[in-house]
Amino acid sequence: MKSMSGRKAVHALVDEHERALHHLMTMMNRWPDDALDRPVPTFGTVRDLMVHIVDSLFAYFGWVREKLELEESVSAPLSREALTRLRSPSDWQRAISLILPYCREAIAGVCDDDLGKAYPASWNDREIYMVEQMLEHAIVHVWRHVRQLEALGL
């Protein structure tokens, strides 16, 4: 069993990811009920974009688990199908609240020494990511789409 000493960097990355998700949830407090049906260029609707954000989150954290061959099974709390059925901003806020603990559970077996390990990305095996880069990518992914939603006036 590997030593779990040295997890400050891992925790910092998850803290930043949670901060991005909390910001997104706070934004939703201002969204009108029809916000999810508003069009988003290249994504369809805000609902489609939200499904993309959360589904990608599951993919990024799942990639880390898969590449590090973490033994414990940690399942995403919601399926893509369940995400597509969320009908209001408050539904999305509740869903993201369920997702936050998943992120911590998913990387429970990751220590700082793992952050420098590199593997092919799941979407393109010619792109190589270190574990740290993939977790950073997960953070920036949320922020990038937050900016996109803000540009829509949400």
Side-chain angles (χ1 to χ4, degrees), residues 24 26 30 45-46 49 57 59 63 68 88 105-106 108 113 120 122 126 128 131 136 146-147 154:
L24 178 59
T26 300
R30 300 185 306 267
T45 65
V46 170
L49 180 58
L57 173 159
W63 179 90
L68 294 178
S88 69
E105 291 170 26
D113 291 342
S122 57
R126 292 185 311 246
I128 306 300
V131 170
E136 290 169 344
V146 161
R147 290 176 60 99
L154 295 174

Side-chain angles (χ1 to χ4, degrees), residues 89-108:
S90 61
D91 287 347
W92 275 99
Q93 287 174 310
R94 282 189 294 278
I96 292 172
S97 293
L98 293 173
I99 292 162
L100 290 170
Y102 162 81
C103 298
R104 290 217 178 258
E105 291 170 26
I107 56 99

Side-chain angles (χ1 to χ4, degrees), residues 8-36:
K8 287 182 181 179
V10 171
H11 285 294
L13 289 163
V14 175
D15 288 348
E16 288 304 307
H17 189 259
E18 285 182 358
R19 185 159 63 115
L21 291 172
H22 280 291
H23 182 83
L24 178 59
M25 291 170 63
T26 300
M27 285 176 60
M28 289 180 202
N29 287 330
R30 300 185 306 267
W31 289 5
D33 288 338
D34 69 344
L36 295 172

Side-chain angles (χ1 to χ4, degrees), residues 2 57-74 102 105-110 114 117-123 125 131 134-135:
K2 70 179 170 182
L57 173 159
F58 294 148
Y60 301 143
F61 282 84
W63 179 90
V64 170
R65 293 190 60 72
E66 174 191 332
K67 298 305 180 187
L68 294 178
E69 299 177 354
L70 299 177
E71 294 176 14
E72 275 186 44
S73 176
V74 177
Y102 162 81
E105 291 170 26
I107 56 99
V110 180
D114 293 324
K117 296 176 181 176
Y119 307 94
S122 57
W123 58 86
D125 62 4
V131 170
M134 187 60 73
L135 293 173

